[in-house]
Amino acid sequence: AACSHLKSGGVEPILGLLTRDLNRIALQSQMLGALSMGVDNVLCIAGRHQALTTSDTAKGVFDLDPIQLVRILNAMRTEGKLADGTELESPVNMLVGTDTNPFADPIELQAMALDKAVAAGADFIMTHPVFNLDRFNAWMTYVRERGLHTKTCVIASVMPLTSSQQAISLAEKYKHLDIPDSIVERLDSAQDQKSAGVHLAAEIIEYVRKVDGVCGVHIMTGADFELALEVLAASGLSRS
């Protein structure tokens, strides 16, 4: 519903489908409903475990993992079939993506998972937030060595941090976020920590845009759209 409203407002939305919350029947139903309203971009992700959300009493579904969902959606557009073999009137058109974590160990395993996602039909890949540039470079080297950057669009996510305390809290709660101590120290020493975080995000954007194989940037600010605009302005990117 949110994507449909955005579409009518002239925005090109990306629908997020979480395998945590729905089984394959419901996921396919949501996608068909979205397509009927002109929403044809989808990001397939697992979603955070409920223990890391405000709904810690809810139970996860996980009938599929994101790569399996990519494969099912790809079959809907290439074969015109649902997961149970039911044929659609005609194949559907959509762009399908998923996420990946360049900072999880072992890095070779993450590259293999990306290989599977691309083979399943992923048109684009969104990374987890980039903070450790050396580690991101190492991961992109694996991506290029496998030629995956020529088969899918790698979009680097950038999350502006507004304080050193936020950085510490995120690093403690979400172990998959590789936030170097140098970033915490830089924020802690800044007189205006929010402004320092915005400029740090702009620096990361400038860096990843020069990395061979990176096709775009995803600015992660949650519902803080003003913060996103500040990052766009600091990085010299267009709002469009």
Side-chain angles (χ1 to χ4, degrees):
C3 285
S4 178
H5 289 303
L6 289 169
K7 190 82 174 182
S8 64
V11 176
E12 190 69 18
I14 299 177
L15 172 66
L17 289 183
L18 277 62
T19 60
R20 176 194 65 195
D21 299 333
L22 300 169
N23 65 18
R24 67 190 68 196
I25 297 173
L27 289 165
Q28 290 175 125
S29 177
Q30 276 211 349
M31 192 66 241
L32 290 171
L35 288 166
S36 74
M37 294 186 288
V39 178
D40 51 10
N41 306 309
V42 58
L43 178 67
C44 305
I45 54 178
R48 292 173 180 164
H49 191 277
Q50 14 335 345
L52 298 174
T53 72
T54 56
S55 303
D56 57 357
T57 58
K59 293 183 179 179
V61 179
F62 299 113
D63 178 31
L64 301 170
D65 64 33
I67 294 178
Q68 290 172 322
L69 179 56
V70 168
R71 187 174 293 111
I72 286 176
L73 297 182
N74 189 48
M76 289 170 61
R77 63 181 177 178
T78 59
E79 303 172 24
K81 292 182 179 180
L82 300 180
D84 62 358
T86 300
E87 293 191 6
L88 303 172
E89 290 187 3
S90 62
V92 295
N93 293 317
M94 66 179 109
L95 282 178
V96 182
T98 187
D99 66 345
T100 189
N101 185 8
F103 312 103
D105 289 317
I107 191 171
E108 296 85 355
L109 184 60
Q110 300 308 312
M112 289 173 59
L114 179 59
D115 204 351
K116 290 183 178 181
V118 173
D123 301 301
F124 65 94
I125 303 290
M126 283 188 177
T127 74
H128 285 207
V130 177
F131 297 105
N132 188 328
L133 298 178
D134 290 338
R135 180 58 184 257
F136 181 71
N137 257 330
W139 179 77
M140 282 302 301
T141 297
Y142 275 95
V143 170
R144 291 191 297 270
E145 287 176 348
R146 287 161 173 75
L148 298 177
H149 64 303
T150 65
K151 301 176 183 177
T152 191
C153 295
V154 176
I155 300 174
S157 294
V158 177
M159 177 189 292
L161 300 169
T162 56
S163 70
S164 58
Q165 187 54 50
Q166 181 196 22
I168 293 171
S169 178
L170 286 171
E172 291 177 348
K173 187 174 183 179
Y174 303 112
K175 301 301 182 182
H176 61 280
L177 295 181
D178 190 348
I179 303 178
D181 292 339
S182 58
I183 287 181
V184 177
E185 293 167 0
R186 175 172 170 177
L187 291 171
D188 197 42
S189 63
Q191 186 172 6
D192 184 343
Q193 294 196 10
K194 180 180 178 182
S195 178
V198 167
H199 284 90
L200 174 63
E203 290 173 17
I204 294 175
I205 289 173
E206 181 180 7
Y207 183 93
V208 298
R209 291 181 72 193
K210 297 176 182 177
V211 176
D212 184 21
V214 174
C215 296
V217 173
H218 169 215
I219 300 175
M220 300 178 64
T221 61
D224 193 341
F225 305 117
E226 291 300 321
L227 179 58
L229 291 177
E230 288 183 39
V231 174
L232 284 173
S235 60
L237 296 175
S238 168
R239 289 182 60 177
S240 61

